[in-house]
Amino acid sequence: GENVEQHPSTLSVQEGDSAVIKCTYSDSASNYFPWYKQELGKGPQLIIDIRSNVGEKKDQRIAVTLNKTAKHFSLHITETQPEDSAVYFCAASKQTGFQKLVFGTGTRLLVSP
Amino acid sequence: DGGITQSPKYLFRKEGQNVTLSCEQNLNHDAMYWYRQDPGQGLRLIYYSQIVNDFQKGDIAEGYSVSREKKESFPLTVTSAQKNPTAFYLCASSLQGAGGNTIYFGEGSWLTVV
């Protein structure tokens, strides 16, 4: 089955810096890769996703890149703000058949003012 | 407002007791899911349902049971057979169960064994 590894487990940056979180997946058939942000005591919220037919997707300060050959994808946050502090999860699934998302173990991002 | 409502937010269970976590959605989604979250780990799938009156085991179904009698409701029962039930439980839904559909999460329920 699919296995998703996520690094780093914690990431501390200064406000205004960029943050990068990386994930690798094992199943070459996976082709849907969402990213979720989870604030303390709350449910995860989708912030961006990418499908295998594109290599990069941007939404304001957030971007995701996908390298299908290497089987890894990354989340990039530019001009970080204290409100970006949260746990971020990557996930992978196939677009055919049942939607079984396999999650990474999460990255705790701390943005210091 | 449309969304997923989980209740209760906090629940305490005594040894040997069954407890039920409620999940209701008004998004008109066909598919619903239950995930378990432990510190330092990703979310793990307990059960899922693609349609009313049908549900399937996920990766860690032992000690749990579900029902899907109505489209908007997917309650999870944590039975006494679940040996380590203390965790954060997340209910989710998507328009369809097919891959690539956005999965939306509720706010979660904390279960603690006392």
Side-chain angles (χ1 to χ4, degrees), chain A residues 98-109:
Chain A
F98 169 65
Q99 168 77 297
K100 183 177 178 181
L101 278 179
V102 177
F103 286 84
T105 51
T107 295
R108 183 172 300 279
L109 174 65

Side-chain angles (χ1 to χ4, degrees), chain A residues 32 36 38 40-46 49 51 87 89 93-106, chain B residues 9 33 35 37 40-43 45 48 50 59 88 90 96-108 110:
Chain A
Y32 173 63
Y36 287 85
Q38 185 177 30
L40 190 62
K42 296 188 176 182
Q45 285 195 316
L46 180 74
D49 59 12
R51 301 171 197 274
V87 178
F89 289 95
S93 78
K94 302 180 183 63
Q95 292 189 79
T96 55
F98 169 65
Q99 168 77 297
K100 183 177 178 181
L101 278 179
V102 177
F103 286 84
T105 51
Chain B
K9 182 68 175 180
Y33 316 79
Y35 287 87
Q37 187 174 23
Q41 298 191 34
L43 284 67
L45 183 64
Y48 64 94
Q50 297 189 70
D59 298 319
F88 189 47
L90 288 158
Q96 296 175 354
N101 277 271
T102 300
I103 289 183
Y104 299 89
F105 286 87
E107 291 291 278
W110 292 93

Side-chain angles (χ1 to χ4, degrees), chain B residues 12-77:
Chain B
F12 298 90
R13 192 194 90 170
K14 293 182 179 179
E15 295 282 351
Q17 273 186 339
N18 292 352
V19 294
T20 297
L21 307 180
S22 170
C23 178
E24 302 278 333
Q25 55 97 0
N26 60 5
L27 300 169
N28 200 31
H29 285 173
D30 285 321
M32 297 187 74
Y33 316 79
W34 275 104
Y35 287 87
R36 170 177 171 146
Q37 187 174 23
D38 295 281
Q41 298 191 34
L43 284 67
R44 293 182 290 168
L45 183 64
I46 304 173
Y47 267 98
Y48 64 94
S49 168
Q50 297 189 70
I51 198 168
V52 175
N53 293 321
D54 182 66
F55 50 84
Q56 305 294 331
K57 293 181 178 180
D59 298 319
I60 56 166
E62 185 175 354
Y64 300 97
S65 66
V66 294
S67 63
R68 187 83 187 278
E69 297 177 359
K70 297 186 297 183
K71 184 176 184 178
E72 57 270 23
S73 178
F74 191 41
L76 173 74
T77 297

Side-chain angles (χ1 to χ4, degrees), chain A residues 1 19 24 33 39 44 54 60 88 99 110:
Chain A
T24 60
F33 308 94
E39 297 179 347
V54 297
Q60 300 182 351
Y88 292 81
Q99 168 77 297
L110 176 61

